[in-house]
């Protein structure tokens, strides 16, 4: 390890279990010398294993529903107290569609479900940043990252309303990135990650076929959760200070590949 995050303090949202992208990121950040507070929705805390991660990384846990402003205000204020200063890095690794969970097709949405999923998966990112902004909680040259998926740009039918939520999330990164950059010298980016076998990922219908297809299409193969943790650490480090307002594809080349030899062979019967 390289001590890339030595002396840096952060908040990590979304570590549910050891498969979670946020879990792998927390381990990697810890290995690079960063300290952080772990947070997740109160209900996920009861179901998940976050305590184990906290013990391993010497972190404290503060429950917060990322759609609830009071929870977020408390989280940000307490994190600065616990960590002993302003925040250098934040990972938003949160996603959930109620329509997907309840098996509602994209053309048959329940709009209460749609609103809830949008709030959790997209608006929560604005709420997190607005809370940090108002409390002036970010250090200069701090870095904020959220995770997204390419369904924001191209249609993947089974991704359902999460596609729309991700498009909104990416837009928030650009819009808030402007103000955070101008006023506080803080960067805001989204990482557009390959399909990854996690609880949220496996909620997508036909995930097995989907992940195998992406792997065959990507010249470098799918990026794993561990790869994503590495990439995120680079964005939290001082080596990427002028990267902001970007949607960064982290997908082994999938997004720029029209077709791969392997996929052609599947169809040509040769
Ligand atoms: P995960 O299921 O391990 O993590 C999702 C997290 O969101 C969970 O920890 C869950 O408790 C949290 N969450 C849900 N509602 C919340 C709320 N109201 N307040 C606070 N936290 C809440 O799955 P994964 O895959 O690690 O997901 C992390 C991020 O990566 C999500 O934004 C997801 O959309 C994104 N992503 C995942 C991909 C995949 O194939 N797994 C591909 C591209 C992006």
């Amino acid at each position: 390890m390289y001590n890339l995050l030595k002396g840096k303090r952060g908040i990590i949202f979304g570590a549910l279990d050891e498969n979670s992208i946020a879990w792998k990121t927390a381990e990697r950040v810890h290995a690079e010398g960063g300290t952080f507070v772990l947070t997740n929705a109160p209900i996920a805390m009861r179901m998940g294993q976050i305590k184990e991660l906290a013990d391993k990384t010497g972190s404290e846990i503060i429950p917060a529903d990322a759609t609830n402003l009071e929870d977020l205000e408390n989280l940000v204020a307490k994190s600065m107290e616990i960590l002993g200063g302003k925040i250098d890095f934040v990972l938003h690794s949160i996603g959930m569609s109620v329509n997907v969970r309840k098996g509602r097709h994209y053309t048959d949405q329940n709009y209460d479900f749609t609103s809830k999923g949008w709030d959790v998966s997209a608006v929560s990112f604005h709420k997190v940043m607005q809370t940090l902004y108002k409390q002036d909680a970010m250090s200069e040259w701090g870095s904020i990252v959220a995770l997204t998926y390419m369904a924001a740009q191209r249609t993947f039918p089974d991704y359902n309303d999460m596609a729309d939520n991700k498009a909104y999330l990416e837009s928030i990164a650009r819009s808030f990135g402007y103000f955070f950059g101008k006023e506080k010298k803080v960067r805001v980016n989204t990482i557009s990650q390959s399909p990854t076998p996690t609880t949220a990922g496996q909620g997508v219908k036909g995930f097995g076929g989907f992940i195998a297809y992406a792997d065959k299409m990507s010249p470098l193969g799918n990026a794993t959760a561990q790869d994503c943790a590495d990439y995120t650490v680079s964005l939290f480090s001082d080596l990427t200070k002028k990267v902001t307002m970007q949607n960064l594809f982290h997908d082994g080349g999938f997004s720029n590949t029209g077709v791969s030899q392997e996929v052609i062979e599947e169809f040509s019967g040769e």
Side-chain angles (χ1 to χ4, degrees), residues 165-216:
N165 294 335
K166 291 304 193 190
Y168 199 95
L169 177 88
E170 291 174 18
S171 180
I172 289 172
R174 284 187 294 274
S175 304
F176 223 126
Y178 175 85
F179 296 104
F180 245 133
K182 274 272 185 212
E183 308 293 331
K184 320 256 188 206
K185 293 196 168 62
V186 168
R187 59 203 190 274
V188 182
N189 296 291
T190 49
I191 296 179
S192 189
Q193 164 70 8
S194 293
T196 314
T198 61
T199 305
Q202 274 151 350
V204 178
K205 214 172 111 208
F207 187 77
F210 192 53
I211 193 169
Y213 170 73
D215 197 45
K216 287 210 160 152

Side-chain angles (χ1 to χ4, degrees), residues 53-247:
L53 179 65
D55 290 345
K56 244 200 320 202
T57 58
S59 310
E60 292 209 28
I61 304 169
I62 302 178
D65 175 344
T67 63
N68 181 309
L69 285 175
E70 261 174 48
D71 282 8
L72 291 173
E73 281 155 16
N74 174 61
L75 168 69
V76 169
K78 285 233 174 85
S79 296
M80 285 195 285
E81 241 173 74
I82 291 168
L83 299 168
K86 288 195 187 190
I87 307 300
D88 300 293
F89 61 87
V90 176
L91 177 66
H92 177 287
S93 186
I94 299 172
M96 192 271 302
S97 157
V98 190
N99 283 307
V100 168
R101 279 209 181 163
K102 306 264 188 197
R104 300 291 293 245
H105 193 262
Y106 186 78
T107 56
D108 180 35
Q109 295 187 30
N110 169 317
Y111 292 113
D112 290 333
F113 296 171
T114 308
S115 301
K116 176 74 186 155
W118 169 72
D119 197 16
V120 170
S121 308
V123 185
S124 67
F125 191 38
H126 195 285
K127 290 177 176 173
V128 167
M129 287 199 279
Q130 185 165 298
T131 305
L132 291 161
Y133 193 86
K134 286 193 172 170
Q135 290 191 22
D136 195 18
M138 291 299 294
S139 306
E140 274 200 0
W141 303 112
S143 174
I144 301 173
V145 170
L147 293 173
T148 187
Y149 182 59
M150 206 184 59
Q153 287 80 32
R154 298 186 193 176
T155 298
F156 293 81
D158 289 330
Y159 210 67
N160 210 315
D161 60 337
M162 276 305 285
D164 305 329
N165 294 335
K166 291 304 193 190
Y168 199 95
L169 177 88
E170 291 174 18
S171 180
I172 289 172
R174 284 187 294 274
S175 304
F176 223 126
Y178 175 85
F179 296 104
F180 245 133
K182 274 272 185 212
E183 308 293 331
K184 320 256 188 206
K185 293 196 168 62
V186 168
R187 59 203 190 274
V188 182
N189 296 291
T190 49
I191 296 179
S192 189
Q193 164 70 8
S194 293
T196 314
T198 61
T199 305
Q202 274 151 350
V204 178
K205 214 172 111 208
F207 187 77
F210 192 53
I211 193 169
Y213 170 73
D215 197 45
K216 287 210 160 152
M217 277 286 284
S218 311
L220 297 179
N222 285 337
T224 63
Q226 191 60 56
D227 294 327
C228 190
D230 292 348
Y231 190 35
T232 305
V233 162
S234 77
L235 289 174
F236 287 163
S237 82
D238 289 335
L239 301 176
T240 53
K241 273 183 171 168
K242 294 287 174 76
V243 180
T244 194
M245 300 161 70
Q246 302 299 316
N247 179 44

